[in-house]
């Protein structure tokens, strides 16, 4: 029995994501939950081993992801309470923005109930990886965007998105190309928000990315496949040993990095790839903003009376 629930299933992401996951051979029961258009699903909230959360409001032009915190923080807190009560051991995959802060909110709610396993909570930053492959391909048609996976580290907003383009085999981008690519990857979400002109943010590409990430988790946790790797935003305590030096140096508790999956979720957080001087500068800019985002999410729960 492999049960997956989508919280926010009636939304722009939730609908196509549900359709894609409906085709998964690993899922025996797909439960669709939303505050609108999906009555009666509360009874489904048991025996669930994976919860994907695309619930909450998307951006409008001129907004940052952090501007969504005011509304989405409470939604994520309440959904996390529901998860703790109904399926405390579930793998939780968070799409709702701002991911840099919503993942710490989930973790703090679970901690309050003594139910936090850092190997089981993920911020889905796969869209940054998908965009990276696509944008690199647009610059260099000789690479295959399906098989060229770019590691993206940091977080999921603006300067916290750090694509490690130096690791693409055979690539020698000029400074100008690096500036262009990096900016497109960091602000790819804004391109969609602007184009949709008030009607929301990325939905179809996100559903694709969300389905890809969910499938990887299911393949590892349900089917026991090994060697699956995705960049994802996690609590670094999911792998104490591999991250000890990085945590001590940066004081970060959450970070997006290449993660290997196993039966229990995170099996290993890979060490940082070797960064070019260009990428090190990007990372240096990402760290202070990540800290602010993480503290904001954590404090939303710990400072609440
Ligand atoms: P949307 O408004 O189309 O859909 C959101 C859905 O969530 C709606 O159907 C709404 O009824 C539902 N919802 C609200 N509160 C809920 C609750 N308490 N329980 C269950 N459902 C609830 O928005 P969308 O375009 O699908 O985007 C959803 C979120 O995903 C936004 O926060 C957006 O910023 C984020 N997003 C993240 C990424 C990423 O890369 N991680 C990419 C795109 C969008
Ligand atoms: C994205 O990267 O497309 C999402 O995070 C949505 C957004 O607000 O840009």
């Amino acid at each position: 029995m492999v049960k997956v629930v989508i919280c926010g299933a009636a939304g722009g992401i939730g609908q196509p994501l549900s359709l894609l996951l409906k085709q998964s051979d690993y899922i025996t029961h797909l439960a669709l939950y939303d505050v609108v258009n999906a009555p009666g699903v509360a009874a489904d909230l048991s025996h669930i081993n994976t919860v994907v959360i695309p619930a909450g409001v998307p951006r409008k032009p001129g907004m940052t992801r952090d501007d969504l915190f005011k509304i989405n923080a409470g939604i994520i807190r309440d959904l996390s309470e529901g998860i703790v009560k109904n399926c405390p051991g579930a793998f939780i995959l968070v799409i709702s923005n701002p991911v840099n802060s919503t993942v710490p909110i989930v973790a703090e709610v679970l901690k309050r109930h003594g139910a936090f396993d850092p190997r089981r909570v993920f911020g889905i930053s796969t869209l940054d990886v998908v965009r990276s492959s696509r944008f690199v391909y647009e610059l260099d048609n000789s690479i295959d965007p399906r098989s060229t996976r770019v590691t993206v580290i940091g977080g999921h907003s603006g300067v916290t998105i750090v694509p490690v383009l130096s690791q693409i085999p055979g690539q020698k981008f000029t400074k100008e190309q690096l500036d262009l690519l990096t900016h497109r990857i960091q602000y790819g979400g804004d391109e969609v928000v602007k184009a949709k002109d008030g009607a929301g943010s990325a939905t179809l590409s996100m559903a694709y990315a969300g389905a890809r990430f969910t499938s990887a988790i299911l393949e590892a946790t349900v089917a026991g496949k090994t060697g699956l790797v995705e960049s994802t935003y996690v609590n670094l305590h999911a792998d104490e040993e591999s991250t000890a030096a990085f945590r001590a140096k940066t004081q970060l508790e959450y970070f997006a990095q290449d993660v290997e999956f196993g039966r229990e979720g995170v099996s290993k957080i890979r060490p940082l790839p070797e960064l070019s001087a260009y990428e090190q500068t990007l990372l240096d800019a990402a760290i202070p903003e990540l800290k602010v985002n993480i503290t904001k999410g954590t404090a939303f729960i710990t400072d609440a009376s």
Side-chain angles (χ1 to χ4, degrees):
M1 177 77 167
V2 177
K3 197 165 176 183
V4 174
V5 65
I6 301 183
C7 297
I13 296 167
Q15 290 188 42
L17 179 60
S18 305
L19 179 66
L20 290 170
L21 290 183
K22 183 72 185 157
Q23 297 165 49
S24 167
D25 291 337
Y26 295 114
I27 301 172
T28 47
H29 188 150
L30 186 64
L32 309 182
Y33 173 68
D34 204 301
V35 285
V36 296
N37 298 335
V41 287
D44 273 342
L45 287 171
S46 62
H47 304 131
I48 291 163
N49 32 28
T50 307
V51 181
V52 193
I53 311 182
V57 290
R59 286 197 285 166
K60 288 189 169 20
M63 292 171 81
T64 65
R65 291 180 184 81
D66 189 53
D67 292 332
L68 304 173
F69 186 91
K70 231 175 170 178
I71 298 179
N72 289 353
I75 292 175
I76 294 302
R77 177 198 56 213
D78 296 347
L79 288 172
S80 304
E81 291 283 355
I83 292 168
V84 153
K85 286 195 188 92
N86 294 287
C87 45
F91 296 98
I92 305 173
L93 283 45
V94 184
I95 293 174
S96 316
N97 274 316
V99 167
N100 294 357
S101 306
T102 50
V103 171
I105 291 175
V106 174
E108 290 305 320
V109 171
L110 297 183
K111 278 184 201 170
R112 279 201 159 181
H113 293 270
F116 180 52
D117 180 344
R119 297 170 304 169
R120 289 175 173 251
V121 178
F122 304 88
I124 304 191
S125 53
T126 318
L127 187 49
D128 302 324
V129 178
V130 169
R131 285 184 178 134
S132 298
S133 305
R134 172 70 202 190
F135 298 161
V136 169
Y137 166 76
E138 284 179 18
L139 206 65
D140 175 1
N141 289 177
S142 72
I143 69 123
D144 180 353
R146 286 164 304 182
S147 59
T148 304
R149 204 182 64 80
V150 180
T151 297
V152 183
I153 63 173
H156 176 68
S157 75
V159 298
T160 72
I161 299 171
V162 178
V164 186
L165 299 166
S166 63
Q167 294 288 317
I168 302 174
Q171 283 305 326
K172 293 230 177 329
F173 295 117
T174 63
K175 164 83 168 53
E176 204 183 3
Q177 286 174 320
L178 278 178
D179 286 346
L180 186 108
L181 270 174
T182 303
H183 187 270
R184 266 205 95 186
I185 294 165
Q186 291 187 325
Y187 296 95
D190 296 55
E191 282 184 26
V192 183
V193 170
K194 272 187 205 134
K196 290 201 174 180
D197 197 19
S201 57
T203 52
L204 299 176
S205 53
M206 183 58 234
Y208 167 80
R212 167 172 143 179
F213 187 82
T214 308
S215 298
I217 292 288
L218 292 174
E219 281 180 38
T221 58
V222 177
K225 271 198 192 167
T226 54
L228 291 163
V229 178
E230 288 282 357
S231 299
T232 169
Y233 183 74
V234 290
N235 182 292
L236 294 173
H237 292 283
D239 183 352
E240 299 279 1
E241 205 183 315
S242 307
T243 62
F246 181 76
R247 276 184 285 119
K249 191 169 156 202
T250 62
Q251 303 298 311
L252 286 175
E253 297 283 297
Y254 296 83
F255 196 71
Q257 167 57 332
D258 274 354
V259 168
E260 293 174 24
F261 302 134
R263 284 267 186 206
E264 296 301 320
V266 174
S267 83
K268 183 174 174 51
I269 299 177
R270 289 199 168 164
L272 273 194
E274 200 178 316
L275 301 181
S276 65
Y278 186 90
E279 290 155 356
Q280 186 60 51
T281 307
L282 295 178
L283 180 59
D284 291 345
I287 288 173
E289 180 146 336
L290 268 174
K291 275 186 190 153
V292 170
N293 296 161
I294 292 165
T295 304
K296 190 168 175 178
T298 304
F300 184 69
I301 302 300
T302 56
D303 291 0
S305 53

